[in-house]
Amino acid sequence: MPGIDTFVAIGDSFTEGLNDPDPGGGFRGWADRVAGALSAQRPGFRYANLAVRGKLLGQVIAEQVPRAVELAPDLVSLAAGGNDILRGSDVDALAEQFQSAVAKLQAAGCRVLIFTGFDPRMFPVIRLLRGRIAAYDMHLRGIADSCGCDLVDLWSMRALKDARAWSQDRLHLTTEGHRRVALRACQVLGIPVTEACQTALLPARALSPPNRSRWLAARRQDALWAREYAAPWLHRRLGGSSSGDGVLPKRPDLLPV
């Protein structure tokens, strides 16, 4: 990992670290974990995380990219567009915006790390977006190839195809999910790791219930998800608000880890 002495992470809730609780308060997440690995290898390493939950790609470009350029780090991670897809935005237009952001960061001399979206196949309702996420991912792979970005392909990660890697809201990773993404990002960046990130999660210890019981349990979980997560999300959309309103970046400046 030659030359990575400073790292700025930008984006939305995925990069902010929801829902990976930090023992010291707030959220940790894959980016903090990668920063920790870099800090262990690079004396004097510094890290900033500008990501804020709920941000659309245009907001990330307008609010976070200029600050990242100002900080002029060796490495910038950019992950955004998922919230736009949830709102029905055109993925071709999103990809054009994304590539322009990459160009700005690279023009400032930054190495850029990007992420595809994950495969939502295992989740009812959200899996209806699978085709649009896949199309956006193909654009992102093309951007990585043409611009020379480092790419973490979340769609292909076996560990993320297990519902246990995801929180009850079905949009944010658990601690284990963030840990696996951090390991994969480290591999892509050339940071030595001693654990596998692509292997599937260990089988659950409890025996699977009978098929009908399993089906009923799944439907109860679907109803709970609709009441506790989908309905509040829809209410915010109708009211023109965001989960990120009033939330400030957790690490706005480049500081030691």
Side-chain angles (χ1 to χ4, degrees):
M1 71 259 164
I4 305 180
D5 291 315
T6 48
F7 169 33
V8 173
I10 64 177
D12 52 30
S13 57
F14 168 69
T15 301
E16 185 185 348
L18 277 65
N19 285 323
D20 178 15
D22 190 309
F27 296 105
R28 190 180 183 190
W30 70 265
D32 287 16
R33 293 169 180 272
V34 169
L38 279 165
S39 180
Q41 298 288 328
R42 306 285 296 189
F45 173 81
R46 294 176 297 145
Y47 163 59
N49 189 320
L50 310 180
V52 174
R53 68 198 73 174
K55 292 297 183 182
L56 302 174
L57 176 59
Q59 293 173 315
V60 171
I61 293 172
E63 300 167 12
Q64 299 176 27
V65 168
R67 176 58 176 160
V69 169
E70 179 184 0
L71 292 171
D74 300 315
L75 173 69
V76 174
S77 67
L78 171 60
N83 290 318
D84 300 80
I85 291 175
L86 285 172
R87 295 187 183 203
S89 299
D90 178 77
V91 296
D92 298 331
L94 282 178
E96 290 182 7
Q97 286 184 280
F98 195 100
Q99 186 158 4
S100 72
V102 168
K104 291 176 183 176
L105 294 168
Q106 290 184 327
C110 304
R111 178 178 176 180
V112 180
L113 172 70
I114 68 175
F115 297 76
T116 69
F118 77 97
D119 183 356
R121 176 180 173 181
M122 78 284 280
F123 294 129
V125 182
I126 297 176
R127 66 172 165 240
L128 296 175
L129 300 172
R130 194 177 186 223
R132 298 181 66 244
I133 294 171
Y136 187 51
D137 285 357
M138 291 305 295
H139 280 301
L140 295 176
R141 293 186 187 102
I143 291 169
D145 183 58
S146 62
C147 297
C149 300
D150 296 289
L151 175 71
V152 176
D153 192 341
L154 301 180
W155 185 285
S156 68
M157 286 187 63
R158 291 179 60 197
L160 300 189
K161 299 182 187 301
D162 189 316
R164 289 173 294 169
W166 297 92
S167 300
Q168 289 185 343
D169 65 9
R170 303 176 178 178
L171 291 175
H172 299 108
L173 294 168
T174 58
T175 292
E176 179 63 14
H178 277 287
R179 190 179 72 84
R180 294 299 188 100
V181 170
L183 287 170
R184 181 59 187 146
C186 285
Q187 287 182 337
V188 168
L189 293 170
I191 306 168
V193 295
T194 58
E195 299 179 75
C197 62
Q198 293 282 39
T199 56
L201 272 63
L202 293 175
R205 292 183 179 180
L207 294 175
S208 297
N211 287 340
R212 180 169 175 75
S213 296
R214 187 164 60 247
W215 185 88
L216 289 172
R219 300 295 75 75
R220 285 194 292 270
Q221 287 297 316
D222 291 344
L224 178 67
W225 173 80
R227 182 174 67 252
E228 295 194 4
Y229 301 105
W233 180 88
L234 181 59
H235 180 74
R236 289 196 299 272
R237 296 292 75 75
L238 293 174
S241 62
S242 166
S243 60
D245 290 346
V247 178
L248 299 176
K250 64 181 183 180
R251 291 181 63 95
D253 300 305
L254 283 169
L255 296 171
V257 176

